[in-house]
Amino acid sequence: MIGRLSLHQIDSVNVLSRAHYLPAFSRLGPYDLTVLDRSAWGAKAQRRLFEYWAHEASLLPLELHPLLRWRMAKADRGEIGWSAMRAFATERRPEAMAVLERLRQEGPLAASDFQESRSRSGWWAWGDSKRTLEWLFWAGHVTTRTRRGSFERVYDLTERVIPPSVMALPTPSEADAQRALIERAARAHGVATASDLRDYFRLSPDAARSAIAGLVEEGVLLPARVEGWTQQAYLHREARRPRRIEGQALLVPFDPLIWERSRTERLFGFRYRIEIYTPAEKRVHGYYVLPFLMDERLAARVDLKADRQRSVLVVQQTTLEPDAPPETVERLGSELRLMADWLRLERVEQRR
């Protein structure tokens, strides 16, 4: 499944479950979370995934490492990354290399292992050590060895985490890598516009345009027209077009199917905005809202919270779409009970 999607986005919000666990549940149903944990942060022999900046912070299959080395090289030269980070590629590079040497000598370390005073304001209230580590991460010098405590990233030298067989893979040119990433995005989408494809791995418009043109010329992408869409669409040549789609799933806000909100509107006529950062009194649908996919439509949305102390999956608010079929409530209830069981919560509590 990860091979098909190419990534799982990571997000720190844990009101329900960490975001990277949910896309697999949506597609596969209940599964053992330790399988993903071992694949992402287990021993080198077990590791099948690595962390890097793709759509956002993401878990990716190991075979994508060569396809993102161009981005690491740009970060190493100070060409990308947040402005406060770029100085570590130039005038503050000796500081970064000193941190890298400490990791080399001492082994895996988290930002909390570095003693320093931190400002309460500024860039995410990060101290210099965290900024340095994150630049080293962007530039590919280090990667995530594991996570600890409240999901804190523990860094180590990339060559000590990524298997040698992957590190030895040839590095493609930037253009070839971007073309391969666009093809990955097309496989995940089925049908998509150029902006949809570009957004998947956050490529620049020019890079995406060139990659798409090359893939069309090769016959990998087929120009397509979707009724109601004003933009040119593209279909991967191996995309399947089923006669009908049956099934149901709750979708985390960071699921690839719905993270590009304009595409969600084009596909389903469903306007979706995450309201985590909206003041409570101004929220329309709730804090952490999951759309409910039922067959070929998004039929409802639910604001969910896992109350772990009481072992309850709390449904804080439910909103049915105007065209929701009569069986929506029953099928949504079944999916909520399935999720509660998967999260090892004893019951579902409906509030409104």
Side-chain angles (χ1 to χ4, degrees), residues 104-115:
R104 192 184 311 279
Q105 297 298 324
E106 298 183 26
L109 296 169
S112 60
D113 294 318
F114 292 78
Q115 297 298 319

Side-chain angles (χ1 to χ4, degrees), residues 278-306:
T278 303
E281 66 276 9
K282 295 183 179 180
R283 291 179 194 138
V284 177
H285 298 292
Y287 178 78
Y288 199 69
V289 176
L290 278 67
F292 178 53
L293 178 67
M294 192 174 80
D295 299 335
E296 300 182 30
R297 71 181 75 196
L298 292 176
R301 59 188 97 195
V302 284
D303 180 18
L304 299 181
K305 176 182 179 180

Side-chain angles (χ1 to χ4, degrees), residues 175-210:
D176 286 347
Q178 291 170 345
R179 191 156 52 245
L181 291 174
I182 288 290
E183 182 181 358
R184 287 266 183 165
R187 285 183 180 276
H189 278 102
V191 65
T193 66
S195 61
D196 296 334
L197 295 173
R198 178 182 73 81
D199 178 70
Y200 208 78
F201 287 99
R202 296 292 167 88
L203 301 181
S204 71
D206 287 344
R209 192 178 303 114
S210 177

Side-chain angles (χ1 to χ4, degrees), residues 18-32:
R18 300 283 183 196
H20 56 277
Y21 292 118
L22 267 296
F25 170 76
S26 299
R27 289 157 178 79
L28 306 175
Y31 72 97
D32 184 353

Side-chain angles (χ1 to χ4, degrees), residues 26-321:
S26 299
R27 289 157 178 79
L28 306 175
Y31 72 97
D32 184 353
L33 298 183
T34 63
V35 174
L36 191 147
D37 288 340
R38 287 196 304 271
S39 296
W41 303 293
K44 186 182 288 191
Q46 297 175 314
R47 193 173 294 254
R48 299 172 64 189
L49 307 171
F50 74 104
E51 288 189 35
Y52 192 61
W53 291 98
H55 181 75
E56 291 288 341
S58 303
L59 285 170
L60 304 111
L62 286 172
E63 62 265 24
L64 263 67
H65 190 272
L67 302 184
L68 291 162
R69 290 175 188 164
W70 62 272
R71 182 169 285 168
M72 298 173 191
K74 282 180 176 287
D76 188 63
R77 296 191 296 267
E79 296 174 11
I80 60 172
W82 297 293
S83 57
M85 178 191 292
R86 296 186 185 192
F88 294 106
T90 52
E91 66 265 24
R92 299 187 67 180
R93 194 178 187 93
E95 298 173 49
M97 293 302 102
V99 170
L100 186 63
E101 183 60 25
R102 181 173 170 185
L103 284 165
R104 192 184 311 279
Q105 297 298 324
E106 298 183 26
L109 296 169
S112 60
D113 294 318
F114 292 78
Q115 297 298 319
E116 63 185 10
S117 60
R118 295 197 306 171
S119 168
R120 290 185 177 272
S121 60
W123 185 32
W124 292 357
W126 284 358
D128 275 353
S129 295
K130 177 63 175 176
R131 293 189 182 97
T132 308
L133 289 163
E134 282 299 307
W135 176 78
L136 290 168
F137 180 84
W138 262 98
H141 297 293
V142 305
T143 190
T144 307
R145 161 70 72 175
T146 188
R147 295 276 186 161
R148 73 161 66 141
S150 58
F151 209 54
E152 183 183 23
R153 182 181 277 153
V154 179
Y155 306 83
D156 199 0
L157 303 186
T158 300
E159 60 267 28
R160 294 202 297 228
V161 176
I162 305 294
S165 58
V166 176
M167 296 296 293
L169 292 172
T171 301
S173 69
E174 183 174 335
D176 286 347
Q178 291 170 345
R179 191 156 52 245
L181 291 174
I182 288 290
E183 182 181 358
R184 287 266 183 165
R187 285 183 180 276
H189 278 102
V191 65
T193 66
S195 61
D196 296 334
L197 295 173
R198 178 182 73 81
D199 178 70
Y200 208 78
F201 287 99
R202 296 292 167 88
L203 301 181
S204 71
D206 287 344
R209 192 178 303 114
S210 177
I212 290 168
L215 290 168
V216 169
E217 185 176 349
E218 294 169 17
V220 176
L221 290 185
L222 308 176
R225 184 181 64 84
V226 179
E227 185 177 347
W229 290 17
T230 58
Q231 296 174 283
Q232 173 70 58
Y234 299 92
L235 188 74
H236 194 278
R237 65 185 175 191
E238 296 177 6
R240 295 169 55 196
R241 283 173 273 186
R243 293 180 181 177
R244 65 179 183 273
I245 299 171
E246 296 179 345
Q248 59 199 41
L250 289 160
L251 303 173
V252 71
F254 309 101
D255 191 290
L257 179 61
I258 58 170
W259 67 29
E260 173 44 52
R261 309 308 188 204
S262 64
R263 184 170 190 264
T264 305
E265 289 191 47
R266 277 185 274 118
L267 285 173
F268 300 106
F270 186 93
R271 189 177 189 278
Y272 180 49
R273 298 293 184 272
I274 190 166
E275 298 181 82
I276 289 173
Y277 305 109
T278 303
E281 66 276 9
K282 295 183 179 180
R283 291 179 194 138
V284 177
H285 298 292
Y287 178 78
Y288 199 69
V289 176
L290 278 67
F292 178 53
L293 178 67
M294 192 174 80
D295 299 335
E296 300 182 30
R297 71 181 75 196
L298 292 176
R301 59 188 97 195
V302 284
D303 180 18
L304 299 181
K305 176 182 179 180
D307 187 335
R308 296 173 180 87
Q309 286 191 327
R310 296 193 299 132
S311 193
V312 172
L313 177 62
V314 181
V315 184
Q316 304 192 105
Q317 182 175 333
T318 301
T319 306
L320 299 181
E321 292 302 291

